[in-house]
Amino acid sequence: MFYSFFDHNCCPKYWTLIHCQLNAYSLSILITGIIYKLLTNSHLRLASKLNINKEKVEASLEAELKSLKSNNYHEIVSTGERLISVLLKEYFSSSGLNVDWTTGYDLGVEIKDDVISRDCSKIVKKNLLEKFFEKEVTPIVTGFDGGSNGRRLTLRRSGSDQTATFLSYSLDADFVYLIKNSRGIETADPKIVKNTRNIPSLNYDMAMESSNIQFEALQYVKEKEIPLVVQYIEDPKIKTIVDKNFKSSGIEFLGSGSYSSNEFRRTELIF
């Protein structure tokens, strides 16, 4: 195509530059196509494992995968959240639940300096009430994404914790659960230290000191004294309850010394 415009024998430097740009562009298109196909196939396989009709989700998955062509980094990295939300909606709907999914960005979550701004809590609450709760629809909300000035942004690692506690803050929730692949809050990082133990109860400041939960995420629940339950996904009985009514278990966690040796006793919360 470019031969009709350029004589590459006369200006080899320019032709080399154009040729390299074309190769880079073609390569990026090829890589995007491969990733697109891999993501589509992996999510369709997951749909099959969940007994979800592929035809019901395939068009929605393809629509969300268009974000891979975006020049917005945050649009691209949040694609996975939206893809899994498509499957979750169909899975719960097929189980008879009235659910729908949305993004933090579409709810009006505003991110400033990598933190969700409290200023947007009223609009987020309004959107949740009008679009979901007043229609008796349970929302599935993507984690760690929001926006600023009409542009999608994402939070750093563990931003989904911040999304969850911010939504509970906005709704004045009675409690919030964080379901994780760790055994609640532990005495140390199990990836580094062997034989760690679960800590059954902590107050908000102690949980902040433990560094297991994002600091900003804990600030929202602490401000409104909303109980936070950090639960182990493989065994729901293993959890840590973070609230103002701390009862010591006598367990040490790294860097914090030892608390009172009183045995941990509390009535299990039923939510």
Side-chain angles (χ1 to χ4, degrees):
M1 179 177 68
F2 282 89
Y3 278 98
S4 60
F5 297 99
F6 296 97
D7 182 346
H8 63 282
N9 291 319
C10 296
C11 45
K13 290 184 179 179
Y14 294 111
W15 172 249
T16 302
L17 176 61
I18 293 169
H19 183 67
C20 289
Q21 287 176 335
L22 279 174
N23 282 342
Y25 179 73
S26 300
L27 182 61
S28 68
I29 293 295
L30 176 63
I31 292 173
T32 300
I34 292 172
I35 294 173
Y36 183 99
K37 193 67 175 176
L38 287 172
L39 287 173
T40 301
N41 290 340
S42 64
H43 283 80
L44 289 176
R45 284 196 300 272
L46 180 56
S48 294
K49 290 181 180 179
L50 295 172
N51 295 317
I52 295 172
N53 188 330
K54 291 182 181 181
E55 294 179 358
K56 289 186 176 181
V57 296
E58 193 163 9
S60 297
L61 290 174
E62 289 179 359
E64 295 307 323
L65 280 166
K66 289 180 181 178
S67 63
L68 293 177
K69 300 176 182 178
S70 172
N71 60 359
N72 181 350
Y73 164 83
H74 304 281
E75 193 80 39
I76 295 170
V77 299
S78 60
T79 301
E81 290 279 317
R82 299 193 297 279
L83 293 177
I84 200 65
S85 295
V86 169
L87 298 186
L88 285 173
K89 178 198 170 181
E90 192 57 39
Y91 175 77
F92 287 122
S93 295
S94 64
S95 302
L97 298 175
N98 190 13
V99 302
D100 202 354
W101 74 276
T102 187
T103 66
Y105 176 78
D106 291 325
L107 283 176
V109 171
E110 186 175 356
I111 297 175
K112 292 181 179 178
D113 300 323
D114 207 31
V115 176
I116 300 175
S117 170
R118 285 170 172 76
D119 295 340
C120 68
S121 62
K122 289 183 178 179
I123 187 64
V124 169
K125 180 177 181 179
K126 179 176 181 289
N127 285 333
L128 282 169
L129 290 175
E130 292 181 355
K131 297 179 180 180
F132 296 95
F133 296 123
E134 290 177 359
K135 298 177 182 178
E136 298 184 349
V137 177
T138 300
I140 298 169
V141 184
T142 58
F144 82 86
D145 89 318
S148 180
N149 299 319
R151 183 178 174 84
R152 191 185 298 275
L153 294 176
T154 51
L155 298 162
R156 65 177 184 273
R157 186 174 176 81
S158 297
S160 292
D161 292 351
Q162 191 180 152
T163 300
T165 58
F166 176 76
L167 294 180
S168 71
Y169 169 92
S170 300
L171 293 167
D172 295 309
D174 295 325
F175 62 90
V176 57
Y177 270 83
L178 299 180
I179 311 297
K180 294 182 167 288
N181 60 2
S182 60
R183 299 165 63 85
I185 295 178
E186 301 184 68
T187 51
D189 186 342
K191 295 177 182 178
I192 301 174
V193 181
K194 294 182 178 180
N195 301 319
T196 60
R197 296 172 63 190
N198 164 259
I199 303 175
S201 177
L202 290 171
N203 65 30
Y204 299 109
D205 291 331
M206 291 172 179
M208 288 177 179
E209 189 178 350
S210 76
S211 300
N212 289 72
I213 306 298
Q214 193 186 69
F215 180 82
E216 290 83 4
L218 286 163
Q219 283 187 314
Y220 300 122
V221 290
K222 178 184 177 182
E223 188 171 323
K224 292 195 174 181
E225 296 184 345
I226 299 170
L228 170 68
V229 183
V230 185
Q231 195 169 46
Y232 185 32
I233 191 169
E234 294 186 17
D235 185 351
K237 294 179 181 178
I238 300 175
K239 58 180 176 285
T240 300
I241 299 172
V242 180
D243 62 12
K244 63 178 182 178
N245 300 315
F246 166 71
K247 298 289 183 65
S248 174
S249 60
I251 297 176
E252 279 187 28
F253 68 84
L254 197 62
S256 300
S258 178
Y259 302 120
S260 161
S261 60
N262 296 330
E263 288 297 317
F264 169 76
R265 293 188 182 91
R266 68 177 295 141
T267 302
E268 287 298 320
L269 299 177
I270 302 175
F271 299 127

